[in-house]
Amino acid sequence: MQPPPGTFEQIRKRARRRKRRRAAMSAASAGVAAGVIVLAVVALPKVVPGVLHLKSRPASAAGTGPSHNTGNGTPASRGAHSMSPSTSPPPSTPAVGGTGPVPANFAPSSVTFVDQNIGFVIGQAGTPGQCANADPTICTSVAETMDAGQTWRGVPAPDTGAPDGKSGVSQIRFIDSSTGWAFGPELWVTRDGGHSWARVDTHGMRVIDLETAGSQVYAVFARCTGTGADFAATCKHVSLYSSPGGSSDWTPISSGLGWNNGYVSAKVVLGQGAGTTTLQGYFYEPDGMVLTGQATAGAGWTLTGQTPAPCQPLGAQQDGQPAGGQLAATSNGGLALACPGTTGSNQETVYTSSDGGQSWQQQASVTVQGTATSLAYGSGVLMLATTQGIYTSSDSGQTWQPTAQLPGGFSYVGQTTPTQAVAVPAEPGSYHAVWVTHSAGQSWHSHPVTNG
């Protein structure tokens, strides 16, 4: 008696499925033995009106073998970051290994300091195909300093590569020695000083800027189509979100700003409000308007005035920062803005504001070599980074002098204390170092991101 039509085909299909399952289980067992765990797939969360619940995916990890970027080691003991009782940290899996040597050829792309001594850098290191991560093709690395950049040690890094369109990370910010974020364009979070990282699902949006203040973190989300390293190019619907440092819930502060041409950028800066100890936040919108508010949970932000700043942020650089106007906040309630002149003029006109951007006072223009990339402002000292060097003003922008020259220049300058600041070279692969000043920008010293 012949079986019903199709019976043998069904039997063959079931056999093939069983064979695939056995092969998958065998591969998974081999992976565990080798110290590899596959990323879990998490369903996309629902977006509750007014709040974006950004769920975290556990980073890949293993129990033995080389560290993501440091080699073997034992995690250093750290104090846990306190959390609100109503929130819980996102799930994360300890990364491979712990602290250890800095990987070879470290090329830092971003730096963050939580005080005058403790800082972190992120970048690419090693040789693709021979990197120290669990996946040898991923060369993203993180290093930590406890002595203002004099010495460094490696810590595990997010399990992702350099920026490539919608994937990868290039920037880093920490709110204290435990809690930090890697971003641009993806978003990753750590709660244990970088020993484990979890990826945050941003619903297809890219994070083009992020800053921390007190217990709050602020991020600029955008929908972009830029490819390769230009992850912040052709962006639309730029929005500012905030989140408590111990939560993964992000609340919109500004609605999405739609722009037809998409060649826009935006920036968030944080500083102390005038005449108060309250931290103040400023959102430099794509149209040049400045939105401001207290950098505290649940605080509402408003436009500082009815007219835009003297210039717009324009398009984005490869690190997501504006290529046009450079905005910075100071610790005594002031703002500074460097506006580029006409194409080929090499002139930057500096403006300052003592009322949060409601009005601006023009200071001197400075002739610079290269293109302005970043501005830092604190206690009357202004530092302007360009693609050729750093220019410093000790009188709030009235007079300027070049204080650091470097082929290729700097992509970022930021102030840690009234006298200490740090800068990142625009061509990190050529220098493998960050630059630090302890004299309010008057002199700069290279600090290689290497062992010892």
Side-chain angles (χ1 to χ4, degrees):
M1 182 175 177
Q2 295 292 325
T7 298
F8 292 114
E9 179 61 26
Q10 292 295 326
I11 292 173
R12 284 193 291 270
K13 288 182 178 179
R14 293 191 189 102
R16 286 196 294 268
R17 285 197 294 268
R18 285 195 297 270
K19 186 176 181 180
R20 286 195 296 267
R21 281 198 296 269
R22 284 196 297 269
M25 292 175 64
S26 176
S29 299
V32 171
V36 177
I37 298 176
V38 179
L39 281 172
V41 178
V42 181
L44 288 177
K46 295 181 180 179
V47 178
V48 178
V51 178
L52 182 61
H53 297 280
L54 301 178
K55 299 300 183 182
S56 300
R57 302 183 183 202
S60 63
T64 60
S67 151
H68 274 267
N69 65 318
T70 65
N72 294 325
T74 302
S77 175
R78 295 176 179 272
H81 178 62
S82 60
M83 308 266 182
S84 167
S86 62
T87 63
S88 59
S92 60
T93 306
V96 184
T99 59
V102 176
N105 302 318
F106 198 112
S109 58
S110 180
V111 62
T112 179
F113 272 78
V114 299
D115 59 28
Q116 65 181 8
N117 292 312
I118 301 175
F120 298 82
V121 293
I122 193 170
Q124 299 296 305
T127 303
Q130 301 178 21
C131 296
N133 298 353
D135 180 343
T137 64
I138 296 177
C139 296
T140 303
S141 300
V142 174
E144 175 189 40
T145 180
M146 295 291 187
D147 52 15
Q150 297 289 335
T151 59
W152 298 88
R153 63 183 181 182
V155 293
D159 192 18
T160 188
D164 186 9
K166 63 181 179 181
S167 65
V169 292
S170 59
Q171 307 296 303
I172 193 167
R173 293 290 183 271
F174 269 69
I175 205 166
D176 55 30
S177 61
S178 298
T179 303
W181 293 262
F183 64 98
E186 293 178 1
L187 181 61
W188 292 69
V189 64
T190 179
R191 310 286 185 193
D192 55 11
H195 291 287
S196 62
W197 293 86
R199 182 181 176 184
V200 179
D201 193 334
T202 60
H203 302 273
M205 293 182 287
R206 303 181 188 183
V207 178
I208 62 176
D209 194 23
L210 183 147
E211 294 293 345
T212 63
S215 61
Q216 291 289 114
V217 57
Y218 297 84
V220 180
F221 289 78
R223 297 197 178 275
C224 313
T225 58
T227 59
D230 292 316
F231 68 89
T234 59
C235 294
K236 298 182 180 180
H237 304 291
V238 179
S239 302
L240 178 65
Y241 281 75
S242 70
S243 173
S247 170
S248 291
D249 290 344
W250 292 79
T251 302
I253 292 179
S254 71
S255 58
L257 304 171
W259 294 80
N260 292 329
N261 62 20
Y263 293 93
V264 298
S265 62
K267 182 174 179 59
V268 58
V269 298
L270 304 165
Q272 189 170 305
T276 177
T277 59
T278 302
L279 289 171
Q280 199 78 2
Y282 306 92
F283 181 40
Y284 186 30
E285 296 184 331
D287 60 358
M289 301 298 289
V290 177
L291 196 70
T292 185
Q294 291 185 3
T296 55
W301 288 32
T302 59
L303 288 174
T304 58
Q306 300 301 313
T307 58
C311 61
Q312 297 174 334
L314 302 180
Q317 304 172 60
Q318 284 193 345
D319 61 0
Q321 295 301 295
Q326 304 297 328
L327 184 69
T330 184
S331 59
N332 59 5
L335 286 176
L337 180 67
C339 293
T342 57
T343 302
S345 69
N346 289 332
Q347 290 285 322
E348 290 284 330
T349 302
V350 177
Y351 299 84
T352 57
S353 174
S354 59
D355 54 16
Q358 296 184 54
S359 61
W360 296 89
Q361 295 75 47
Q362 182 176 336
Q363 306 298 327
S365 293
V366 53
T367 301
V368 299
Q369 297 296 315
T371 303
T373 57
S374 179
L375 181 68
Y377 185 23
S379 301
V381 176
L382 278 164
M383 287 171 276
L384 180 66
T386 77
T387 53
Q388 290 294 318
I390 295 175
Y391 296 79
T392 301
S393 171
S394 300
D395 50 17
S396 296
Q398 296 181 48
T399 59
W400 292 83
Q401 60 179 332
T403 55
Q405 298 298 305
L406 186 71
F410 299 88
S411 62
Y412 171 81
V413 61
Q415 201 155 1
T416 305
T417 70
T419 58
Q420 180 178 305
V422 63
V424 178
E427 298 178 2
S430 300
Y431 301 103
H432 308 287
V434 295
W435 266 249
V436 178
T437 177
H438 295 282
S439 58
Q442 296 304 307
S443 61
W444 293 82
H445 303 281
S446 171
H447 289 265
V449 184
T450 58
N451 297 316

